[in-house]
Amino acid sequence: MSDKIKFEIEFVVHASPSLLYQYMATPSGMSEWFADNVNSRGELYTFIWDGSEEQAKLVTKKSNERIRFRWLEDEEDGEDYYFELRIQVDEITKDVSLIITDYAEEDEVDEGKMFWDNQISQLKQVIGSV
């Protein structure tokens, strides 16, 4: 299996970090923009899209700042890949950004970025940050 490439993308979001965090860190919040349905049992999250399920383990979270997941498939393969949603506030302008860190196969990086672009557009609509 080829190594995945790490990529980061940043989105300016017109919302408070605490509101944004609720949509990142709760199954009900994530169900509104990230997947059709999200369930959690402890650190194990199940994401459902069009009937297919993917499971991820919550690796770390820091209130109003970031949350990191690792797909179970990657963990079972012994891989350290993860996806992280991190809130960053510019100290001068107070602009709030959401920084996504993810990994993809070399020929799927653009696809990965498009996926996040679509999901974050949906998030912005849900929180009224369009």
Side-chain angles (χ1 to χ4, degrees):
M1 190 169 135
S2 64
D3 288 338
K4 292 183 179 179
I5 294 171
K6 180 179 181 179
F7 65 90
E8 276 193 3
I9 34 182
E10 183 174 339
F11 300 91
V12 174
V13 181
H14 302 289
S16 71
S18 57
L19 174 70
L20 191 52
Y21 188 76
Q22 292 305 309
Y23 283 94
M24 291 168 33
T26 63
S28 60
M30 291 187 87
S31 292
E32 291 197 46
W33 66 276
F34 184 71
D36 297 335
N37 197 4
V38 180
N39 300 309
S40 71
R41 186 169 278 125
E43 293 180 343
L44 188 65
Y45 281 64
T46 304
F47 300 97
I48 301 162
W49 290 277
D50 294 328
S52 74
E53 285 187 13
E54 292 285 336
Q55 290 190 311
K57 183 177 171 186
L58 175 64
V59 179
T60 181
K61 72 177 180 178
K62 188 169 182 185
S63 192
N64 298 332
E65 196 174 295
R66 68 187 152 115
I67 187 160
R68 180 183 291 188
F69 294 95
R70 178 170 295 126
W71 294 114
L72 280 194
E73 188 180 300
D74 287 335
E75 190 166 272
E76 288 164 5
D77 291 342
E79 303 291 354
D80 288 333
Y81 304 126
Y82 61 87
F83 69 97
E84 180 179 78
L85 295 87
R86 183 167 38 101
I87 300 168
Q88 186 172 296
V89 180
D90 185 290
E91 288 186 24
I92 297 167
T93 65
K94 301 298 181 207
D95 285 344
V96 176
S97 293
L98 180 57
I99 299 167
I100 308 293
T101 304
D102 200 357
Y103 292 81
E105 301 288 334
E106 191 172 355
D107 60 347
E108 295 175 353
V109 170
D110 287 343
E111 220 172 277
K113 288 180 179 180
M114 274 189 346
F115 168 80
W116 282 110
D117 212 29
N118 289 334
Q119 301 317 93
I120 301 304
S121 290
Q122 213 167 327
L123 172 63
K124 285 179 174 183
Q125 286 184 324
V126 168
I127 62 177
S129 168
V130 183

